[in-house]
Amino acid sequence: MKVQVQIVTALMLIAFASVVPTAEAKDIQELAMDVNGTNVGTELAMQGVPYIDQNGQLMVPLRLADMYTGYESHWDGKNNIHLVNKDAKIDMDIQIGSREYVENGKTKNFNSAPFIHYDRTYLTVQDFEKLHRSIRWDKAQNTVYVYPAADYDSTYQISGQNLTRVTDGKEEKINLPKDISLSTSDEIQSQKVIGKTTYLAIAPDDATEWNVYRDDGSTLSYIAAIPATASYFVKDNKLYYSGGTREEYTKLYVKNLENEKSAESYNLLYSLHSCVMMEKDDQIVAVDPEEQDHLIEPLDKSDVSK
């Protein structure tokens, strides 16, 4: 798998030194993190953030990404971590301080041993990708993007006013809607696979809104505009999304895509912006950083502010 957008090829195999860091906070550069298209805000001392150590090595926190990418983790209180993804296809045992790990009964090796930093488990970027995750490091935005490796078989690129999709090395131009045009300042801000359908959020980096599109094969269909950085999900011709500013992080918007009416809005008792929306048992849930599920569809009225 490759990841979305601008610097796909160059960033998939960044060369970093394989050194376990021992630096103090003043010696490292903390980075922002985007998991599955959702901006994750946290502090290093809490759930952990990716960072570049004094040796130029990109380090990724296991716990934070685990919360958002479908793994359940169990720590025995000592040095052992057991990871299982939700469909049980991947079952892993990791030991802090050991390069050796077991995946589905087979013994394998990391390049460097997992280590503890600020009471959180970290892996080098190369080893993190062995957990069936893909990493994209955007130096200009100081942001690390994390994706499940199985989700994205294709990557998308904007070149001038054209959009192309690359699958297994084959490049294909995608037709845009007649009233939509791309500019050289546009970038793919988010790539999200829901079921078997890919959705793209496209906008310039400094835009206050993202335009969401659906990949229909040979053409791209416009869905709606959402606030920049919003968490979103699409199901049954409805678009669910959060607010994009700090004042609106608790907002839920629900737009019926079959009509031109404005989106309905709800004030929630938690930050939807900090959650990842997904489908479970034919319901839409928002999974928060504490791994608690909140019902979005049908909406749990106890989560709505009076």
Side-chain angles (χ1 to χ4, degrees):
M1 171 206 131
K2 311 175 190 72
V3 239
Q4 60 159 349
V5 249
Q6 313 97 307
I7 16 185
V8 177
T9 305
L11 296 174
M12 289 301 295
L13 295 173
I14 305 175
F16 290 100
S18 297
V19 180
V20 176
T22 58
E24 300 297 330
K26 62 182 176 59
D27 296 320
I28 65 176
Q29 176 189 357
E30 295 180 24
L31 311 172
M33 192 171 190
D34 184 293
V35 185
N36 288 1
T38 296
N39 288 288
V40 178
T42 186
E43 295 179 359
L44 189 63
M46 296 175 66
Q47 300 300 344
V49 293
Y51 69 91
I52 296 175
D53 74 355
Q54 78 278 20
N55 298 302
Q57 173 74 289
L58 176 57
M59 304 295 180
V60 183
L62 178 63
R63 176 64 172 166
L64 185 59
D66 155 41
M67 287 180 175
Y68 288 92
T69 53
Y71 276 111
E72 291 182 3
S73 63
H74 305 278
W75 179 52
D76 67 357
K78 298 179 182 178
N79 292 321
N80 302 303
I81 299 173
H82 183 211
L83 289 173
V84 183
N85 73 336
K86 291 179 180 178
D87 59 10
K89 290 182 179 179
I90 303 171
D91 188 303
M92 306 180 73
D93 288 293
I94 298 172
Q95 186 174 2
I96 304 300
S98 173
R99 293 179 55 240
E100 191 174 275
Y101 69 97
V102 178
E103 178 182 343
N104 295 343
K106 295 183 179 180
T107 300
K108 300 181 179 181
N109 287 284
F110 291 125
N111 295 324
S112 301
F115 60 93
I116 301 295
H117 185 60
Y118 281 79
D119 295 324
R120 295 297 173 189
T121 303
Y122 278 78
L123 296 170
T124 65
V125 62
Q126 300 98 326
D127 290 331
F128 191 86
E129 291 191 318
K130 293 182 180 180
L131 303 184
H132 302 271
R133 294 289 172 264
S134 184
I135 302 287
R136 179 170 70 86
W137 157 228
D138 188 333
K139 183 177 181 180
Q141 297 301 315
N142 219 38
T143 300
V144 175
Y145 294 86
V146 181
Y147 303 97
D151 273 3
Y152 304 120
D153 295 323
S154 301
T155 63
Y156 297 80
Q157 301 172 6
I158 295 175
S159 177
Q161 296 182 335
N162 297 318
L163 176 71
T164 57
R165 177 178 56 237
V166 181
T167 306
D168 295 329
K170 181 181 179 181
E171 188 171 305
E172 179 182 8
K173 181 180 177 181
I174 302 177
N175 297 317
L176 302 175
K178 292 182 179 179
D179 55 343
I180 297 293
S181 62
L182 299 177
S183 70
T184 54
S185 63
D186 282 329
E187 295 187 6
I188 301 173
Q189 303 292 348
S190 171
Q191 177 179 336
K192 185 184 292 286
V193 175
I194 301 174
K196 295 183 178 180
T197 303
T198 298
Y199 295 86
L200 303 175
I202 300 177
D205 269 341
D206 58 353
T208 58
E209 287 189 333
W210 289 351
N211 292 316
V212 179
Y213 299 88
R214 182 182 63 239
D215 182 354
D216 289 331
S218 60
T219 61
L220 200 69
S221 296
Y222 175 75
I223 300 298
I226 62 174
T229 77
S231 177
Y232 68 94
F233 197 84
V234 182
K235 183 184 178 185
D236 297 335
N237 286 315
K238 287 186 178 181
L239 173 64
Y240 305 81
Y241 59 95
S242 70
T245 63
R246 187 173 299 277
E247 293 75 18
E248 291 201 332
Y249 281 177
T250 60
K251 284 274 193 180
L252 165 65
Y253 294 92
V254 182
K255 180 172 179 56
N256 189 330
L257 300 177
E258 294 183 325
N259 58 52
E260 298 298 323
K261 294 181 180 179
S262 299
E264 298 179 0
S265 64
Y266 303 88
N267 291 310
L268 304 179
L269 297 175
Y270 59 92
S271 174
L272 181 61
H273 187 273
S274 300
C275 297
V276 172
M277 284 188 274
M278 62 180 65
E279 190 170 9
K280 291 184 179 181
D281 300 324
D282 207 34
Q283 297 177 322
I284 301 175
V285 299
V287 184
D288 67 24
E290 300 300 321
E291 301 181 83
Q292 180 178 350
D293 292 355
H294 302 271
L295 268 177
I296 296 296
E297 182 60 49
L299 183 60
D300 186 345
K301 298 298 183 182
S302 67
D303 279 334
V304 180
S305 176
K306 304 297 183 183

